[in-house]
């Protein structure tokens, strides 16, 4: 990393500090020459600003110039007093007040020589930084990030597309999920964010604590490549879970990303099965709707659906999660998470029954009614379902179906005759309702 102090040691430049001697460890990322009275709109953080002070005419002129340097985060001001009879005290005072290192350039030294020397120093430092970073290619992500932060002179983080901090020593200046959302929406922010290379559906991101110069951006891209290689060669650890654990079913509609999303969502989980758009994993964790909502804009999937069981024996938990993700599919929203608590007890009982058993139950109980509807082009099955879901209330059911209550009573009576059941009796109602729900997706 090139610092202001580095420039003081360059042979032949003979730069002399006049202010900010305690700030010479600031990193320098590029050089910028200007004679504008207020160059603020053109400045970037980390720049060495080189000026012949042609903008200075009288005391007070230094304030807007130096204030602009301070606002932009300039590394230092290198000034020549060849055309101003030396460095004005006004400039020295302004630099001290705004904490901008001020370096005096010898009057006999050409700006082209300074520019050439600084550019060569920056290029050499960049090449050395890249080599030092490459030398740590086999190191863990945390080590790579620590090396890169030191070379860039900026705090850096590695984030998951789910909005988690993978590595980074300092505290993020804003929540990780906000960083990911800004990146997905291409909104500007206080951090520079770029993707880690890799083919995983859920990307990792590098966030640097400020704007990057061209040289810094090249080093950050080198870091992205190295971390991508490290991520690819790091195999998920085999999880050891208790006999009773949650099962999470995750579906990515319109894509085959479910496996990658589930692995990233549950790094300590055990992948059980993956069929492309739907994957299952056992875990002791509770998936976060916030994490799935954060990553959704980065995926090809049109929707993310998730069903979560309670801790239970594996087969039971699997069936519960399978049913819950089916419930999620019937709910609106781009990201839907359905925990087992949102699924009624009778639904869980049906979910645990094999498909053949559910089909047989539906045929045995509802067969005559289904046949009647098919022959007469009626929909008594729907009438019965609405009636039972209205707790057997003729008044409520008639209102829901937009028919007269007497019409409703007649239809229910006819349906009862066909079924050989009394639909005003609880046990008959229970049998018929379970048979009706047995035909629903997922049980």
């Amino acid at each position: 990393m090139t610092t202001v102090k580095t420039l003081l040691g360059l042979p032949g430049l003979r730069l002399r500090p006049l202010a900010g001697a305690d700030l010479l460890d600031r990193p320098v990322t590029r050089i910028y020459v200007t004679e504008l009275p207020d160059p603020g709109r053109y400045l970037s953080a980390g720049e060495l600003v080189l000026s012949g002070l042609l903008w200075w005419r009288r005391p007070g002129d230094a304030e807007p110039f130096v204030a602009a340097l301070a606002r932009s985060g300039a590394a230092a001001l290198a000034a020549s007093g060849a055309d101003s009879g030396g460095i004005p005290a006004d400039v020295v005072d302004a630099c001290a007040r705004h904490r901008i290192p001020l370096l005096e350039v010898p009057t006999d030294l050409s700006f082209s020589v300074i520019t050439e020397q600084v550019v060569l120093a920056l290029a050499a430092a960049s090449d050395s930084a890249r080599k030092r970073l490459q030398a740590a290619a086999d190191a863990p992500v945390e080590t790579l990030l620590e090396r890169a932060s030191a070379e860039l002179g900026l705090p850096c983080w590695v984030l998951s597309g789910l909005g988690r901090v993978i590595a980074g020593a300092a505290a993020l200046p804003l929540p990780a999920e906000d960083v990911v959302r800004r990146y997905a929406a291409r909104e500007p922010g206080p951090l520079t964010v770029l993707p880690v290379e890799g083919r995983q559906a859920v990307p990792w991101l590098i966030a640097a604590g400020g704007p990057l110069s061209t040289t810094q951006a090249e080093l950050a891209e080198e870091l992205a490549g190295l971390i991508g290689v490290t991520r690819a060669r790091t195999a998920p650890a085999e999880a050891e879970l208790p006999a009773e654990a949650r099962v999470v079913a995750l579906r990515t509609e319109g894509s085959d990303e479910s496996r990658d999303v589930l692995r990233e969502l549950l790094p300590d989980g055990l992948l059980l099965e993956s069929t492309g758009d739907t994957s299952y994993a056992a875990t002791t964790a509770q998936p976060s709707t916030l994490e799935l909502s954060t990553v959704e804009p980065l995926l090809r999937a049109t929707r993310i659906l998730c069903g979560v069981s309670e801790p239970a024996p594996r087969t039971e938990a699997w069936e519960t999660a399978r049913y819950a993700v089916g419930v999620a599919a019937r709910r609106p929203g781009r990201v839907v998470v359905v925990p087992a608590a949102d699924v009624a007890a009778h639904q869980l009982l049906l979910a645990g029954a094999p498909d053949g058993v559910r089909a047989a139950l539906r045929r045995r109980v509802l067969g005559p009614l289904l046949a009647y509807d098919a022959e007469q082009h009626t929909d008594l099955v729907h009438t019965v379902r609405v009636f039972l879901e209205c707790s057997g209330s003729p008044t409520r059911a008639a209102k829901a179906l937009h028919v007269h209550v007497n019409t409703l009573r007649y239809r229910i009576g006819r349906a009862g005759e066909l079924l050989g059941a009394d639909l005003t009796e609880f046990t008959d109602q229970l049998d018929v309702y379970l048979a009706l729900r047995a035909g629903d997706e997922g049980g």
Side-chain angles (χ1 to χ4, degrees), residues 234-242 259 263 266-272 282 314:
T234 304
E238 288 294 328
E240 294 184 9
L241 299 174
R259 180 189 181 99
R263 280 198 181 280
L266 305 172
D268 297 326
L270 176 64
L271 188 69
L272 302 174
R314 186 69 51 81

Side-chain angles (χ1 to χ4, degrees), residues 4 23 26-30 32 39 43-50 65-78 98-101:
V4 178
L23 305 171
R26 287 184 174 178
V28 176
T29 59
R30 69 178 81 180
Y32 175 68
L43 296 177
S44 300
E47 286 181 324
L48 172 69
V49 178
L50 186 58
F65 184 91
V66 178
L69 269 61
R71 285 193 302 272
S72 71
L77 169 62
H98 288 285
R99 295 184 60 75
I100 293 293

Side-chain angles (χ1 to χ4, degrees), residues 348-359:
L348 293 180
L349 288 173
L350 289 171
D355 292 345
V357 172
R358 290 199 300 271

Side-chain angles (χ1 to χ4, degrees), residues 300-382:
R300 303 191 314 275
T302 54
R303 301 177 76 205
I304 303 177
L305 310 172
C306 185
V308 187
S309 79
E310 295 291 348
R314 186 69 51 81
T315 301
E316 176 185 334
W318 188 308
E319 289 295 336
T320 301
R322 184 179 69 85
Y323 185 84
V325 80
V327 172
R330 297 191 292 275
R331 293 184 179 179
R334 293 181 64 85
V335 177
V336 186
V337 178
V338 174
D342 286 4
V343 182
H346 72 272
Q347 294 172 322
L348 293 180
L349 288 173
L350 289 171
D355 292 345
V357 172
R358 290 199 300 271
L361 172 64
R362 183 174 173 83
R363 284 194 306 271
R364 180 170 64 83
V365 177
L366 300 179
L369 194 58
L370 293 168
Y372 181 85
D373 276 349
E375 292 173 1
Q376 302 298 321
H377 304 292
T378 56
D379 199 1
L380 287 182
V381 169
H382 178 63

Side-chain angles (χ1 to χ4, degrees), residues 271-283:
L271 188 69
L272 302 174
E273 179 182 289
S274 180
T275 58
D277 70 339
T278 305
S279 298
Y280 297 83
T283 180

Side-chain angles (χ1 to χ4, degrees), residues 121-443:
L122 291 173
S126 175
D127 187 56
S128 297
R130 187 178 293 105
K131 289 179 179 178
R132 287 192 292 271
L133 196 58
Q134 290 172 344
D138 295 329
V141 170
E142 292 79 6
T143 302
L144 282 169
L145 196 64
E146 183 180 347
R147 297 275 183 92
S149 296
E151 299 293 350
L152 293 172
L154 293 170
C156 294
W157 301 265
V158 176
L159 310 178
S160 164
L162 291 166
R164 293 177 181 167
V165 177
I166 303 297
L172 272 170
L174 66 164
E177 60 269 17
D178 287 352
V179 178
V180 177
R181 285 198 185 97
R182 285 176 182 269
Y183 170 79
R186 299 181 180 177
E187 295 178 1
L191 305 176
T192 298
V193 183
L194 63 156
V196 168
E197 295 179 11
R199 296 184 178 181
Q200 293 86 353
V202 180
W204 280 7
L205 306 172
I206 292 175
L212 302 180
S213 67
T214 302
T215 301
Q216 288 175 310
E218 290 174 353
L219 188 62
E221 289 172 1
E222 184 75 30
L223 173 65
L226 293 175
I227 290 180
V229 171
T230 299
R231 182 188 185 189
R233 69 169 178 245
T234 304
E238 288 294 328
E240 294 184 9
L241 299 174
E244 295 195 357
R246 286 186 178 88
V247 169
V248 176
L250 190 132
R251 182 179 301 165
T252 49
E253 289 190 348
S255 79
D256 58 355
E257 299 164 307
S258 64
R259 180 189 181 99
D260 282 355
V261 175
L262 201 53
R263 280 198 181 280
E264 190 75 12
L265 180 68
L266 305 172
D268 297 326
L270 176 64
L271 188 69
L272 302 174
E273 179 182 289
S274 180
T275 58
D277 70 339
T278 305
S279 298
Y280 297 83
T283 180
T284 56
Q286 179 68 50
S288 165
T289 304
L290 175 61
E291 290 179 317
L292 292 175
S293 297
T294 299
V295 77
E296 183 268 331
L298 301 175
L299 302 178
R300 303 191 314 275
T302 54
R303 301 177 76 205
I304 303 177
L305 310 172
C306 185
V308 187
S309 79
E310 295 291 348
R314 186 69 51 81
T315 301
E316 176 185 334
W318 188 308
E319 289 295 336
T320 301
R322 184 179 69 85
Y323 185 84
V325 80
V327 172
R330 297 191 292 275
R331 293 184 179 179
R334 293 181 64 85
V335 177
V336 186
V337 178
V338 174
D342 286 4
V343 182
H346 72 272
Q347 294 172 322
L348 293 180
L349 288 173
L350 289 171
D355 292 345
V357 172
R358 290 199 300 271
L361 172 64
R362 183 174 173 83
R363 284 194 306 271
R364 180 170 64 83
V365 177
L366 300 179
L369 194 58
L370 293 168
Y372 181 85
D373 276 349
E375 292 173 1
Q376 302 298 321
H377 304 292
T378 56
D379 199 1
L380 287 182
V381 169
H382 178 63
T383 299
V384 171
R385 180 161 183 159
V386 172
F387 174 70
L388 296 177
E389 289 178 346
C390 289
S391 302
S393 168
T395 303
R396 289 173 53 196
K399 185 176 181 180
L401 291 167
H402 306 289
V403 299
H404 192 275
V405 67
N406 289 337
T407 301
L408 186 284
R409 292 182 191 277
Y410 169 77
R411 291 180 181 177
I412 292 301
R414 180 62 178 142
E417 292 174 2
L418 292 165
L419 294 172
D422 183 351
L423 293 179
T424 64
E425 290 291 330
F426 173 74
T427 53
D428 285 357
Q429 288 178 341
L430 179 60
D431 287 345
V432 171
Y433 189 67
L434 286 174
L436 286 167
R437 295 306 301 263
D440 291 347
E441 180 185 349

